[in-house]
Amino acid sequence: MTTAPAVTPASTYRVQLQPGFTFADTAAAVPYLAELGVTHLHLSPVLEAVPGSTHGYDVVDHQTIRAELGGEQGLRELSRTAREHGLGLILDIVPNHMAVPTPEYLNGPLWQVLRDGPASPYASWFDIDWAAQDGKVLLPVLGEPLPDALGSLSVVRDEAAGGAALAYYDHRFPLRPGTEELPPAELVEAQHYRLAYWRAARTELNYRRFFTISDLIAVRVELPEVFEATHATVLRLLRDGVADGLRIDHPDGLADPAGYLRQLARACGGRWTVVEKILQRDESLPADWDCAGTTGYDALDRIDGLFTDPVGAAAVADFYREFTGIEDDRGGRWAPTVARAGYRVVSRELSAEVSRLERTAERARAAIPGSPPYGPEQLADAIRELLLRVPVYRPYVVAGAPATAEDTAMLEHAAAEARRETAPELAAALDFVRDLALGRAGGTSGGGTGTGGGADAADFVARFAQVASALHAKSVEDAAFYRYVPLLSLNEVGRDPAEPATTPAEFHAYCERMRRERPATGTVLSTHDTKRSADLRLRLAVLSELPDAWRAWLGERPERGARLGLAPGPDRHTEYTVFQTGVGLGACRPERLVPAALKAVREAGLHTTWTEQDEAYEKAVAAFTEQGPCGVQEQDTGDFAATLHPYEQANVLGAALLQLTMPGVPDLYQGTEWPVRTLVDPDNRAPMNSAPAGSPQADAHDTLRRLLEGATPDSFDEAKLRLTAVALRLRREHPEWYGPAAAYEPRPADGPAADHCVAYLRGGGALTAVTRLSRRLEEAGGWRDTVLPLPPGRWRDRLGGGTYEGRVPLAELLADSPVVLLTED
C-alpha cells in the first residue's frame, strides 16, 4: 500500500457518532473544533452497525460505511470539510467481533454460516467450537426453553432475508436448503444452529464472544483472508486520503495482538495507530506491538492519582466500612472483593468459556504420548484457578514461539500460588494447564516451545489468554468496581483502588518513560467508556482531602432523612454509593441518577443482577434515589458539593493542563473542553449537539472567539474552555515543544510546599505548573516561601498574562489561578 508519510496528530477530538449526530453534524462543528486547536477528529466506528446503535461497536458489515451516519459519501464530505480547516480523521475500528443482530440477516457472513454450517466459506470467520453442540451453533435467543417456544416459531417469506426464513418475533434465521417443508420440530432440528433459551449462553455457548455479551460474536482476524475482508474498506479510506490514522478496539480479544498489529502496520503504511489497552500500574505495553501506544488510560491513572491524597483515601475507606458494615469480600476491602468477584465470574458468567478450554485441554492431553488422564473436573478446576491468578489482563504467548520471560514468570508464579492455595491433588493438573498456556505442553520447560498436543494445544494458548482478559474485565471493572466503593473516583478504567495516588516523582518518571518509549502514545481523561467523566472524578477526589467533612456529612444523612420522612435505602452500601454519586453530579436529576444507581447494583451483583433481577430490591433502590438525593435531600447534596468547588476547580484545571502538555497525543472526549460531569453509559453518550439552547456550550464558537480575542473568562466554564484552546493551539503551532521528539524536563519547586506543585518544561520552550491537593495546601498555610526556579530568560503566562523570571514565589505565580502555562516572552 502506497501512502503519504504517517503523521502524528498534535491532538484528537473524540466524536461519538450516532443517528442523532451524523457525519453532516460533525462537519458543521469543524470550524469551531479547528479554532479550538485540535488537529484530528477521532470518530467512533463508521462501518455498518446494528440499526439505531449509539456507539457503532456492533458492526454487521465491514464493506459498507454506515448509512444512518450518511454513508461513504457523507464520510468523504466530512473529510473534505475537515481538510479545508486543517483537520484530519482518525477511525476507530473493531477487529475482535461483529454483532449477532436482530434480524440476523443483517450480518451477511454469519447468516451464511447459520444456513450452511461448517461448509460455509465464512465458517472460518467466527471462533466457533464445532466439536460442541453436535456440530451446530448455539443461538441463545429464546425467551423460554425451545419446547415452549415452538408455537412462536414460523416459516415466513421475507424478501430482506432472501426468501423463506424461520421467524421468532423480530428474529430471522436462515433455513438449510431442503428443510422448508418439514414439520416445525423437525425443521428446527434440521438446521446448522440450535435455538436455545437465553440462559443457556452461560453454560452451553460454543462461539467466542466479546466478554460475556452473546450478541457480539468473535471474529478470527488472525486468518489472512478474514483480515483482508474485514479491513479492506478501512484501508481503502486510508489509501484515498479520507482518514489518517486508527484507534484499535480491544486488542486483548485477539489471538495474537502483536501479529495483528504487524500485519496492520504493513497494510496501512505505518499510519499513526493507538490501541485500547488497559495496563496495570507496573505493566508496560509489549515492546513488539507495532503501534504508537495506548489510547491513554495509563495516563489517566497517573493524572488522577496526582489529585488523590493517599492518607485521606485510607480514612475515607475506614469510614466507608464503618458506615456500610459490609463484609470484606463483598466490598469491604479491595483484594478480597476482587477475589470473590473473580470466582463468581469464572464459575458462572464464563462457565461456557471454561468448558471449552477444558475440552481443548483434554484433547491436547490425549494427543501427547504417555500423558496420564486427570480426575473429573480437575482440568476445569485447574484452568479456573490459574485464570484467577493472572495479575494483568492476559499473557501474550503465541503458539510455536517461546514465551517471553515476563509471561513465563507470571504464569509460573500464578501456578505456584494456586498449588499452595488449592487441594494437593490439583497440582499435576495445574502444572499441565500452566504448560499449555505457555505453549510448552509435551515439550521443553523454562519457556521453550512445546511439541505435543497438536492443533488443540496451539488453540489453548490463544483461547486461555482471551478468556483471561474477559475474566479481568468482568470481575474487576464490571463487578468489583461496583462493590468496593469508598471513593468512586478510584473505580475507573485503568485505575487500581489499591494504588490511589501518584507522587510528583512517579508522574515525572512515567512521563520520561513515555517520551523515551512511546512518545506518540495517546493520553486521555474521559472517554465513551469511562464510568465517570474526569471532572466528576476530580470533584470526588477532593473527598480524599476532606475525609472528616465527608464522614460528618454522610454519617448524618440517615438520621436527617428520617426526620424528613425519607424511608431508608435498601442497604447502607447502596445509600453510600447513591449519595456519593449525587455529590459528584452536584445537581441530582432522577432521570440520570436512578438509571446509574440501578446499573450499579446490577453490576455489583450483591442483591440483584442483569439476568436475575430482584424487582422489589430494585424498586427500593429507585425510590430511595429519587426521594433522597434527588428529593428531600437534594438541597443538602448540592450544598455539600458546593463546598468542594474551589478545590475541585483546581483539580479540573490542573488535570486538563497536564493532559494537554505532557508527552503523548491528548484525546478530548466531545464537550470536555467545558466542565462535564457525566456518569456511566448511556449518560456519557449523548449526541454532541445536545446542549440546551442558550447555554454557553450552545454558543461555544462565539464564546471561544471572544476568549481568544483577549476577553477575561467570566465563569469557571469559560476558564476551562480558554485553557483548553490555548494549550491545544500551542501544541498545533509548536511541535518542537510538544511533538514526539520534544524533550521533557521536570522542574521541581523549592520550599515547604514543593510537593503541591507539579511543573515541567517541554521542548525547552513551554513550561507547565499546576497545583495539586489544594485543600491540603490551604490547611498547611499555603505556598509560604516555596519558589519555582524558572529556566533562564523571561517567561509569559499564556493564560493570565503575567511575566516572570528567576526564582518565582509560587504564591505570586499562582496567585490568580491554580495553573500556569508559560512560554518564553
Side-chain angles (χ1 to χ4, degrees):
M1 177 180 184
T2 302
T3 64
V7 174
T8 298
S11 60
T12 61
Y13 189 96
R14 165 71 178 215
V15 179
Q16 196 71 14
L17 297 165
Q18 50 191 291
F21 198 83
T22 65
F23 297 137
D25 295 314
T26 307
V30 161
Y32 161 71
L33 294 174
E35 196 148 5
L36 184 66
V38 299
T39 66
H40 288 72
L41 303 181
H42 165 196
L43 305 181
S44 59
V46 301
L47 298 178
E48 195 63 76
V50 170
S53 173
T54 58
H55 52 80
Y57 291 95
D58 42 6
V59 175
V60 296
D61 182 357
H62 291 94
Q63 311 305 316
T64 306
I65 303 301
R66 191 174 176 188
E68 289 179 304
L69 303 181
E72 184 161 339
Q73 180 178 350
L75 177 59
R76 288 178 176 271
E77 289 173 357
L78 168 59
S79 178
R80 282 193 291 272
T81 300
R83 296 201 185 286
E84 288 168 1
H85 288 79
L87 305 185
L89 301 184
I90 305 299
L91 301 181
D92 194 337
I93 64 173
V94 191
N96 178 69
H97 54 267
M98 295 180 72
V100 182
T102 303
E104 283 70 9
Y105 58 71
L106 292 172
N107 184 334
L110 179 60
W111 180 262
Q112 294 194 40
V113 172
L114 296 178
R115 183 189 64 202
D116 301 327
S120 167
Y122 290 99
S124 63
W125 272 48
F126 304 104
D127 192 359
I128 299 167
D129 184 6
W130 292 104
Q133 298 296 329
D134 297 321
K136 298 184 178 185
V137 181
L138 183 82
L139 293 180
V141 298
L142 303 179
E144 53 194 339
L146 178 59
D148 300 320
L150 274 176
S152 300
L153 294 164
S154 61
V155 175
V156 299
R157 298 292 303 180
D158 189 327
E159 294 308 314
L166 183 62
Y168 177 73
Y169 298 101
D170 292 336
H171 291 276
R172 294 293 183 271
F173 309 106
L175 293 173
R176 189 173 181 172
T179 64
E180 294 90 338
E181 304 301 326
L182 292 173
E186 292 181 32
L187 180 146
V188 171
E189 179 61 29
Q191 305 310 316
H192 286 293
Y193 49 86
R194 182 167 79 82
L195 300 179
Y197 185 31
W198 64 268
R199 291 186 181 275
R202 176 182 293 169
T203 55
E204 300 180 52
L205 198 71
N206 65 330
Y207 60 81
R208 186 169 61 85
R209 51 190 168 168
F210 173 65
F211 295 159
T212 58
I213 304 173
S214 299
D215 56 8
L216 294 175
I217 185 170
V219 176
R220 298 188 64 199
V221 74
E222 66 269 22
L223 301 179
E225 65 274 17
V226 178
F227 177 93
E228 291 167 10
T230 56
H231 287 68
T233 297
V234 167
L235 293 174
R236 176 169 54 80
L237 293 171
L238 291 171
R239 183 172 59 248
D240 291 353
V242 175
D244 306 273
L246 301 170
R247 182 257 193 198
I248 309 302
D249 181 65
H250 187 47
D252 276 340
L254 306 180
D256 177 11
Y260 167 79
L261 290 169
R262 284 193 298 272
Q263 187 175 11
L264 181 65
R266 289 193 299 268
C268 75
R271 298 300 184 101
W272 183 80
T273 299
V274 289
V275 294
E276 185 208 21
K277 170 61 186 163
I278 299 165
L279 298 165
Q280 302 305 103
R281 181 68 74 90
D282 58 353
E283 182 185 12
S284 296
L285 196 66
D288 61 347
W289 282 26
D290 196 346
C291 62
T294 73
T295 53
Y297 288 117
D298 42 323
L300 178 157
D301 175 41
R302 271 67 175 199
I303 295 172
D304 274 22
L306 280 172
F307 300 96
T308 306
D309 176 41
V311 175
V316 167
D318 287 341
F319 164 60
Y320 156 76
R321 284 185 285 270
E322 176 188 316
F323 182 89
T324 64
I326 197 164
E327 299 96 320
D328 284 357
D329 64 350
R330 289 171 60 84
R333 296 186 186 275
W334 177 243
T337 297
V338 172
R340 178 169 180 153
Y343 270 103
R344 176 185 173 90
V345 170
V346 81
S347 302
R348 291 170 60 85
E349 285 87 344
L350 293 176
S351 176
E353 283 75 9
V354 171
S355 293
R356 176 174 177 177
L357 285 172
E358 180 189 19
R359 294 192 299 271
T360 305
E362 175 54 31
R363 291 195 298 267
R365 183 208 60 77
I368 299 173
S371 177
Y374 296 101
E377 284 296 302
Q378 282 193 332
L379 277 179
D381 286 344
I383 290 166
R384 282 190 285 264
E385 296 294 340
L386 192 62
L387 284 168
L388 285 164
R389 290 167 177 81
V390 175
V392 295
Y393 261 69
R394 57 166 283 176
Y396 295 98
V397 184
V398 177
T404 64
E406 292 81 5
D407 280 339
T408 301
M410 177 180 68
L411 290 176
E412 291 276 12
H413 182 268
E417 193 175 61
R419 283 196 301 273
R420 286 195 304 272
E421 297 172 357
T422 58
E425 57 267 25
L426 206 59
L430 278 165
D431 287 347
F432 176 66
V433 170
R434 174 204 62 202
D435 287 347
L436 270 182
L438 285 168
R440 67 189 193 193
T444 60
S445 60
T449 304
T451 57
D456 288 302
D459 184 69
F460 187 93
V461 169
R463 308 305 165 223
F464 179 89
Q466 291 166 327
V467 175
S469 73
L471 172 60
H472 194 97
K474 296 303 295 181
S475 62
V476 176
E477 293 169 22
D478 293 343
F481 272 3
Y482 291 95
R483 296 182 181 184
Y484 179 81
V485 295
L487 195 57
L488 289 172
S489 57
L490 303 180
N491 297 10
E492 191 51 83
V493 183
R495 297 223 68 199
D496 180 353
E499 298 186 78
T502 308
T503 67
E506 289 169 338
F507 177 79
H508 290 314
Y510 168 78
C511 289
E512 290 177 302
R513 179 166 64 86
M514 287 301 99
R515 186 197 62 78
R516 291 192 310 270
E517 298 176 2
R518 301 277 184 178
T521 190
T523 68
V524 79
L525 287 175
S526 297
T527 76
H528 63 291
D529 277 335
T530 45
K531 299 186 183 300
R532 295 160 193 89
S533 65
D535 297 343
L536 192 152
R537 297 194 312 271
L538 290 161
R539 170 183 285 175
L540 292 180
V542 177
L543 299 179
S544 72
E545 301 180 72
L546 291 165
D548 294 338
W550 173 237
R551 171 188 283 270
W553 183 81
L554 186 61
E556 199 258 344
R557 288 310 93 203
E559 182 180 340
R560 177 164 174 74
R563 292 199 303 269
L564 294 170
L566 174 65
D571 57 83
R572 283 291 188 91
H573 183 269
T574 296
E575 287 191 38
Y576 189 99
T577 303
V578 168
F579 270 117
Q580 189 179 171
T581 305
V583 168
L585 282 174
C588 297
R589 297 291 177 265
E591 66 272 16
R592 297 180 63 197
L593 191 52
V594 170
L598 290 175
K599 183 167 185 172
V601 296
R602 289 169 184 164
E603 294 283 16
L606 297 173
H607 305 283
T608 186
T609 71
W610 291 104
T611 58
E612 296 167 342
Q613 292 178 13
D614 184 324
E615 185 175 349
Y617 179 83
E618 293 193 2
K619 283 184 177 179
V621 170
F624 175 79
T625 304
E626 187 165 352
Q627 296 165 17
C630 294
V632 295
Q633 300 211 46
E634 180 183 6
Q635 184 66 48
D636 291 346
T637 303
D639 288 347
F640 182 76
T643 68
L644 309 180
H645 286 178
Y647 319 111
E648 161 205 347
Q649 290 175 3
N651 288 356
V652 167
L653 295 181
L657 189 56
L658 291 175
Q659 188 217 354
L660 294 171
T661 60
M662 68 190 289
V665 176
D667 181 51
L668 274 72
Y669 189 58
Q670 58 183 30
T672 57
E673 65 271 24
W674 303 88
V676 168
R677 298 175 192 91
T678 52
L679 303 173
V680 71
D681 67 277
D683 190 65
N684 63 359
R685 295 185 182 178
M688 189 174 154
N689 58 358
S690 59
S695 66
Q697 291 87 337
D699 301 316
H701 205 170
D702 290 342
T703 303
L704 176 62
R705 284 175 172 164
R706 176 170 56 82
L707 293 170
L708 291 174
E709 289 168 359
T712 300
D714 58 16
S715 67
F716 176 67
D717 288 21
E718 291 190 1
K720 187 181 181 189
L721 176 64
R722 183 183 67 170
L723 178 151
T724 303
V726 169
L728 285 174
R729 290 161 72 95
L730 277 179
R731 291 189 66 93
R732 184 176 64 189
E733 295 161 10
H734 293 281
E736 74 277 14
W737 294 349
Y738 295 113
Y744 178 91
E745 178 189 338
R747 301 292 300 186
D750 184 15
D755 228 24
H756 288 278
C757 176
V758 177
Y760 50 81
L761 183 67
R762 294 304 318 277
L767 189 145
T768 290
V770 309
T771 306
R772 63 183 291 265
L773 304 181
S774 59
R775 170 60 178 173
R776 295 298 198 198
L777 174 66
E778 179 182 87
E779 289 175 340
W783 293 110
R784 290 157 286 169
D785 56 355
T786 307
V787 300
L788 182 65
L790 299 181
R794 189 173 179 83
W795 295 80
R796 179 165 62 93
D797 180 12
R798 302 297 291 262
L799 300 173
T803 56
Y804 306 91
E805 56 186 321
R807 291 171 59 85
V808 183
L810 283 173
E812 175 188 345
L813 184 65
L814 299 171
D816 299 321
S817 171
V819 305
V820 292
L821 177 56
L822 307 177
T823 60
E824 286 192 279
D825 195 21

